Amino acid sequence: MDASTTLSHDERDARAIRRRGWTLALLTIAYFFSFMDRQILAILLEAIKADLQLSDTQLGLLSGLVFALFYATLGLPIARLADRSSRSNIIAISLAFWSAMTALCGLAQNFTHLMFARIGVGIGEAGFGPPSQSIIADLYPPEKRASAMAIYSLGVLLGGGLGIVIGGFVAHSYGWRVAMMVVGLPGIALAVIMKLFVVEPRRGLSDGKAPAAPADAPAMGLWKGIMSLWHNRAAFHLVAAITITSLVGYAVTGWGPSYMQRSLGMSMLDVSKYVALPAAFVAGFSAMLGGWLCDRAARNKGVYAQSYVVVVMKVLAFPFALGFYFLDNLWLAISSYFVASIFAGAYIGPTYAMIQHLAPLRLRATWAALTLLATSLLGLGLGPFVVGQISDALKPTYGDESLRWAMFSVAMLTPWGIFHYWRAGVLMKRQEAAAAA
C-alpha cells in the first residue's frame, strides 16, 4: 500500500499543494509530447505525399479527421472514468500508448497502414487532456487558474512548433520515418516518470470545498453531464468559441508548413529553422501574457472579464492573420504571421480555466472531454480536412495557389468565434452578479 493512503485529509491536501508545481510541470511536458506527436505530420506532409503518392484530401484526413474521430469520441468514456478513479494512472497509461503508436507511424507502407497508426495515436491521447485539466483545476484556485492553464497550454504551442523543428531536421537528414520514431519513443520513458510523480489531488481542493466523496461514490450520469453543460449558456458559448477558434488554428498548423513551401517558396528545412522555432516561443509568450492578463482581470473585475480579454486579443490578431495570406513578399508575410501569433495563442489557457470554473466538481473531466470532443471533431477533424478538400477543388483554377485560398476561406470564420467569446463574457457577468446578490 502507498504510504500516502495512510495520511489524513489535511496532510494529503498539504502534500498536493506542496507538489503542485512539479505536477503542473510534468503535465505540461506530457502535453508537449502529445501535441508534438500529433502535429509532427504537418512538416512531413510533403515528404509523405511524395513517398506514398497521396492526395491533399488523404493528407487532410490523416492530419485531422482520422485522428480526431477516435481522440474525441473515446475522450468521453475515459473522462467519466477519470471523474470516478485515479486520473494520474489514466494519464500515464495513455502517454505510453500514444507514444508507441507515433513510433509505429514510421513503419507505414501505405495510406491504410498510416491511417491505423494515427488512429492509435488518437486513442492514446484521448486519455490525457480531460484528467489533466481536472487535476490542474483542483490544484489552483480560480484567481490563479488561468495562468496555470496557460502554462499547461505551452505544451500545445511549444509542442506543435518544436515538433516541426525536430521533425524537419530529422526528416531532412534521415527521412520522415525516422522522424516519427525519434519523437515517439521518448514518451514511453516519460510515462513511467508521470506514474511516479504526478499528484492525485482531492477534488475541489482549491475551491474551498469540503473533502470530496470517496472515489467510488455515485457521480452524475453522462447524459446529465452533457445536459448540464448545454443548459449553462456561458459554458456553451465558451465551447462554441474555442471550437471555431480551434478549427481555424488547426487549419493553420496542419497546412501552414505546406503553404510556406508551395506559395512562399520555402524549403522544409527553412520552415523548421526560420519559422517553427521562433513561432513556438512567440506563441508561448502569447499564452503566458494571456494567462497573466486574464488572472489580473479576474482579480479586479471577476472571472467573466477573462472572456473580454480574449476578445481583445483575437481582434488584434485577426488583420495580421489575414496578412499572412495576402502579402506576397516572403518576409512580410512571415512577419505578419509572427505578429498574429503574439495575440492568437492567448485564448487556450483562459478558455479551459473558465470552463473548469463553471463545471461542477464531479464533472470537471467530463466537461473538459466534451470541450475536446467539439474542438477535436469540428476543429482538428474538419479544419485540415476542409482545407484539403477546398484546395483540391480550387486546384484546376488556381494551381499551386489553391492552398492559399483554401486557408484564407477557413480563416474568415474567426469573427464568429470572437462573437461567442463576447457572449460568454456577458452571460458569466450576469451569473456572477446574481451569485453576489
Side-chain angles (χ1 to χ4, degrees), residues 60-245:
L61 281 170
L62 290 171
S63 299
L65 194 58
V66 164
F67 172 91
L69 279 172
F70 290 86
Y71 174 65
T73 54
L74 287 176
L76 269 175
I78 295 175
R80 296 304 295 147
L81 180 63
D83 277 329
R84 292 174 167 87
S85 61
S86 171
R87 294 164 288 185
S88 57
N89 286 341
I90 292 171
I91 289 168
I93 293 169
S94 299
L95 172 56
F97 185 78
W98 92 60
S99 299
M101 296 307 296
T102 299
L104 285 176
C105 286
L107 301 179
Q109 298 301 309
N110 53 46
F111 173 77
T112 303
H113 291 170
L114 191 52
M115 179 184 69
F116 280 112
R118 288 289 289 173
I119 287 172
V121 177
I123 291 171
E125 292 196 19
F128 176 72
S132 296
Q133 292 182 38
S134 176
I135 285 175
I136 294 169
D138 285 336
L139 290 174
Y140 290 87
E143 67 275 10
K144 295 182 179 179
R145 199 168 286 153
S147 290
M149 289 291 187
I151 292 171
Y152 172 70
S153 74
L154 289 176
V156 172
L157 302 166
L158 296 179
L162 292 178
I164 290 174
V165 173
I166 296 169
F169 273 93
V170 175
H172 176 75
S173 300
Y174 303 103
W176 69 269
R177 299 178 186 279
V178 174
M180 285 288 193
M181 296 179 187
V182 166
V183 301
L185 293 176
I188 298 174
L190 179 61
V192 177
I193 298 173
M194 297 287 289
K195 168 61 181 171
L196 295 175
F197 294 104
V198 166
V199 168
E200 180 71 30
R202 173 172 59 81
R203 299 175 200 273
L205 171 61
S206 293
D207 293 272
K209 306 291 184 181
D216 59 352
M220 190 180 295
L222 177 58
W223 179 249
K224 289 185 178 179
I226 294 171
M227 294 310 295
S228 70
L229 191 153
W230 173 262
H231 289 301
N232 188 314
R233 303 311 291 170
F236 171 81
H237 280 285
L238 284 172
V239 173
I242 195 173
T243 298
I244 296 165
T245 304

Side-chain angles (χ1 to χ4, degrees), residues 46-56 58-59 110-111:
E46 297 301 300
I48 293 171
K49 181 177 183 176
D51 187 13
L52 302 183
Q53 299 296 301
L54 306 181
S55 69
D56 279 355
Q58 287 176 309
L59 293 176
N110 53 46
F111 173 77

Side-chain angles (χ1 to χ4, degrees), residues 229-274:
L229 191 153
W230 173 262
H231 289 301
N232 188 314
R233 303 311 291 170
F236 171 81
H237 280 285
L238 284 172
V239 173
I242 195 173
T243 298
I244 296 165
T245 304
S246 295
L247 190 153
V248 176
Y250 280 122
V252 174
T253 57
W255 284 103
S258 289
Y259 166 68
M260 294 176 204
Q261 292 173 69
R262 294 187 197 181
S263 295
L264 300 182
M266 302 186 76
S267 69
M268 179 174 67
L269 196 59
D270 285 341
V271 174
S272 299
K273 288 195 295 186
Y274 302 123

